[in-house]
């Protein structure tokens, strides 16, 4: 079943339709051809029997008239007819030239006025098969008339040969025509598919092309466009809600932070301050994602020294996490991009590394294969191969990061990847030499 399903997927609708049409035509043509050959042979055999029966009746009617009998008993070379007249004992009284001196050609001896038929091979005229009509004549005599069926066989073989040549040609012609016609019919579907591939969450305003014909494909396109209308409306409402809620939360959060500053220091105040900072980052991330989803990432392009950004993040990380050893190897590397967003990428990556690291965070900047490369590695638990793509999905946090104490929101890495992608680069996850996670950023160099 799986093999058949795989074959169907590889062949496609056009090829499957062509093969199905060819198979149907081939089967129908074979059945029709067999029926035609059988019917033709039956009709031709009936004609031969009719001809020999009429000839036998003529001979029986002239059997007592020697002159008339001599006229009708002469062989017909055109239809390969042979004649014998037998007496009651089976002795040949008269015969056509081909049967001169030959014994009776049939053992049939019907009563007077009755007719019997048989088919047999005779040692005359190249040992052919004959259809023989035996007619009972007056005086207990028997008239035997035989006619060769070689022409019937020749005609049947010719019909079979014509079918053997014509049926494959017909099958191939139908298959090719079906393949072309189905392909022509599926052009609107292919256009819809190509357009659908370009539609994402950032361009939901695009619609599928509707073919001019008022058929099922046009109805499908209209239905899909209606679905896109509903998705766009729901997505727009969701984005507005996220943007409005994030914006409205900023004011009360600022008030809370100001109130915490007035309270001074203390374990409870410090905890509230950490939670407020976490909420502030979450709100900022939500606002950024709302803007990215609605209008895309707006970049300011200018020359940016990545090594300078790395040193800034090293100082910040050392100050916030004095228990960690932060090592940097930063070669002078310059790219063209938005310094604010690139700084955010580095901040998200080093914060993610610091969250999981046991003792060390290592940051490097270098050029590699005509690209600027930044790596951030830690000696933490690492990210398994099955989760290395999933960590870039929004609000995805791995098991080690599900506690509130970790401080993660599940948005840092997705935002970093969106920013890197907008700069024409890539962000991937690997295993670090220390066994933890290594996040690798690759950006095009400034030309």
């Amino acid at each position: 079943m799986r093999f058949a399903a795989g074959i169907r997927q590889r062949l496609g609708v056009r090829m499957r339709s062509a093969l199905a049409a060819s198979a149907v035509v081939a089967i129908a043509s074979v059945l029709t051809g067999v029926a035609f050959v059988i019917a033709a042979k039956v009709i031709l055999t009936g004609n031969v029997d009719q001809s020999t029966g009429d000839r036998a009746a003529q001979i029986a009617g002239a059997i007592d008239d020697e002159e008339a009998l001599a006229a009708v008993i002469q062989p017909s070379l055109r239809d390969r007819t042979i004649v014998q007249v037998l007496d009651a004992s089976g002795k040949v009284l008269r015969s056509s030239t081909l049967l001169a001196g030959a014994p009776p050609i049939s053992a049939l001896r019907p009563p007077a006025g009755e007719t019997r038929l048989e088919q047999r091979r005779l040692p005359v005229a190249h040992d052919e098969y004959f259809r023989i009509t035996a007619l009972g004549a007056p005086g207990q005599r028997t008239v035997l008339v035989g006619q060769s069926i070689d022409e019937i066989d020749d005609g049947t073989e010719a019909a079979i040969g014509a079918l053997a040549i014509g049926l494959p040609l017909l099958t191939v012609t139908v298959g090719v025509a079906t393949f072309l016609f189905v392909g022509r019919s599926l052009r609107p579907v292919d256009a819809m598919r190509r357009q659908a591939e370009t539609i994402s969450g950032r361009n939901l305003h695009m619609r599928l092309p509707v073919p001019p014909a008022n058929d099922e494909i046009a109805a499908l396109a209209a239905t899909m466009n209606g679905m896109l209308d509903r998705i766009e409306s729901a997505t727009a409402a969701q984005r507005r809600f996220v943007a409005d809620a994030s914006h409205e939360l900023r004011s009360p959060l600022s008030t809370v932070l100001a109130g915490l500053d007035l309270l001074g220091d203390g374990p409870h105040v410090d905890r509230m301050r950490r939670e407020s900072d976490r909420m502030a980052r979450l709100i900022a991330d939500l606002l950024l994602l709302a803007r990215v989803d609605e209008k895309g990432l707006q970049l300011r392009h200018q020359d940016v020294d990545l090594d300078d950004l790395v040193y800034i993040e090293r100082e910040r990380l050392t100050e916030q996490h004095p228990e960690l050893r932060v090592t940097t190897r930063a070669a002078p590397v310059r790219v063209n991009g938005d310094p604010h967003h690139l700084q955010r990428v580095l901040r998200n990556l080093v914060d993610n590394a610091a969250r999981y690291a046991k003792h060390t965070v290592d940051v490097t900047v270098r050029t590699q294969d005509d690209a600027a490369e930044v790596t951030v590695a830690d000696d933490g638990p690492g990210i398994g191969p099955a989760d290395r793509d999933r960590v870039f999905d929004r609000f995805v946090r791995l098991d080690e990061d599900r506690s509130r104490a970790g401080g993660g929101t599940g948005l840092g890495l997705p935002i970093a990847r969106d920013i890197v992608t907008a700069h024409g680069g890539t962000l991937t996850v690997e295993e670090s030499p220390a066994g933890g996670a290594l996040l690798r950023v690759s950006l095009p160099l400034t030309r």
Side-chain angles (χ1 to χ4, degrees):
M1 294 296 291
R2 293 180 180 177
F3 177 77
I7 291 296
R8 288 195 296 270
Q9 290 177 356
R10 285 194 293 269
L11 290 180
V13 175
R14 295 179 66 184
M15 185 58 69
R16 293 203 305 270
S17 300
L19 292 177
S22 299
V24 171
V25 170
I27 294 172
S29 299
V30 168
L31 294 178
T32 303
V34 171
F36 169 76
V37 171
I38 293 174
K41 191 167 185 177
V42 170
I43 292 173
L44 292 175
T45 302
N47 292 337
V48 170
D49 292 341
Q50 180 68 34
S51 175
T52 55
D54 293 343
R55 186 73 172 274
Q58 291 178 356
I59 294 172
I63 198 168
D64 293 325
D65 187 344
E66 288 295 329
E67 293 183 1
L69 180 61
V72 298
I73 206 173
Q74 293 302 320
S76 175
L77 298 179
R78 181 180 59 82
D79 57 10
R80 299 183 182 180
T81 302
I82 55 177
V83 177
Q84 283 183 335
V85 178
L86 310 179
D87 61 11
S89 63
K91 180 181 179 181
V92 178
L93 300 177
R94 301 290 298 271
S95 67
S96 57
T97 304
L98 289 175
L99 297 179
I105 60 175
S106 175
L108 297 176
R109 302 292 184 270
E114 293 187 10
T115 301
R116 295 179 183 174
L117 301 172
E118 73 171 341
Q119 180 174 312
R120 61 183 300 186
R121 184 190 297 270
L122 298 178
V124 296
H126 307 292
D127 202 25
E128 300 174 3
Y129 275 99
F130 282 77
R131 292 286 294 181
I132 299 174
T133 298
L135 175 63
Q140 296 184 343
R141 288 169 291 187
T142 302
V143 178
L144 301 177
V145 180
Q147 185 170 327
S148 173
I149 63 172
D150 187 57
E151 292 183 356
I152 297 177
D153 294 336
D154 291 343
T156 303
E157 292 176 358
I160 294 175
L163 291 174
I165 297 175
L167 293 185
L169 293 177
L170 176 62
T171 301
V172 172
T173 301
V174 170
V176 172
T178 303
F179 183 82
L180 296 177
F181 293 153
V182 171
R184 187 179 183 88
S185 301
L186 290 178
R187 284 179 185 174
V189 177
D190 190 57
M192 293 164 55
R193 179 190 60 79
R194 290 195 301 268
Q195 181 74 352
E197 287 180 344
T198 64
I199 299 176
S200 64
R202 298 181 181 178
N203 59 350
L204 286 174
H205 62 279
M206 299 181 66
R207 294 295 179 266
L208 303 180
V210 180
N214 188 19
D215 55 9
E216 292 82 358
I217 297 178
L220 174 62
T223 302
M224 296 294 289
N225 286 336
M227 180 184 68
L228 289 174
D229 289 337
R230 295 189 295 272
I231 293 176
E232 182 183 17
S233 300
T235 303
Q238 182 180 10
R239 289 173 180 170
R240 285 194 301 269
F241 170 76
V242 172
D244 293 344
S246 301
H247 181 75
E248 293 298 329
L249 286 173
R250 276 186 163 183
S251 296
L253 182 60
S254 300
T255 303
V256 170
L257 290 173
L260 292 174
D261 290 337
L262 295 176
L263 291 177
D265 296 329
H268 297 293
V269 175
D270 292 340
R271 181 178 179 182
M272 293 296 296
R273 188 175 287 111
R274 287 195 302 271
E275 291 298 319
S276 299
D277 291 339
R278 180 174 179 272
M279 183 179 292
R281 291 195 303 270
L282 176 59
I283 292 173
D285 290 344
L286 290 174
L287 281 173
L288 175 61
L289 290 176
R291 289 195 296 267
V292 169
D293 289 340
E294 184 176 3
K295 300 179 181 178
L297 194 62
Q298 305 298 318
L299 300 178
R300 295 178 300 148
H301 289 280
Q302 64 185 67
D303 289 341
V304 181
D305 293 319
L306 291 180
D307 51 310
D308 292 343
L309 300 183
V310 168
Y311 290 133
I312 294 173
E313 288 305 313
R314 182 189 64 179
E315 297 301 325
R316 183 184 64 84
L317 194 62
T318 302
E319 181 180 351
Q320 293 181 354
H321 299 276
E323 74 281 1
L324 294 178
R325 183 167 61 91
V326 182
T327 61
T328 57
R329 294 186 300 275
V333 177
R334 178 170 293 181
V335 297
N336 185 268
D338 190 311
H340 173 72
H341 287 304
L342 292 176
Q343 183 80 47
R344 185 165 195 159
V345 170
L346 287 174
R347 182 179 297 113
N348 289 351
L349 296 185
V350 297
D351 285 346
N352 182 80
R355 188 175 302 119
Y356 294 105
K358 298 177 181 177
H359 307 289
T360 304
V361 174
D362 182 66
V363 184
T364 64
V365 181
R366 62 176 181 172
T367 58
Q368 180 74 18
D369 297 332
D370 296 329
E373 186 177 271
V374 180
T375 61
V376 180
D378 62 71
D379 59 349
I383 300 175
D387 295 323
R388 289 176 183 173
D389 288 330
R390 195 168 64 91
V391 293
F392 293 112
D393 294 335
R394 297 177 183 180
F395 298 105
V396 170
R397 296 186 296 176
L398 303 184
D399 292 340
E400 293 83 2
D401 191 28
R402 292 189 183 277
S403 65
R404 294 178 59 85
T409 63
L411 296 176
L413 292 182
I415 289 175
R417 187 178 63 173
D418 287 344
I419 294 174
V420 172
T421 302
H423 282 82
T426 59
L427 173 58
T428 57
V429 180
E430 304 171 13
E431 183 178 354
S432 73
L438 185 147
L439 290 98
R440 187 185 305 275
V441 177
S442 181
L443 295 169
L445 288 171
T446 301
R447 297 295 183 184

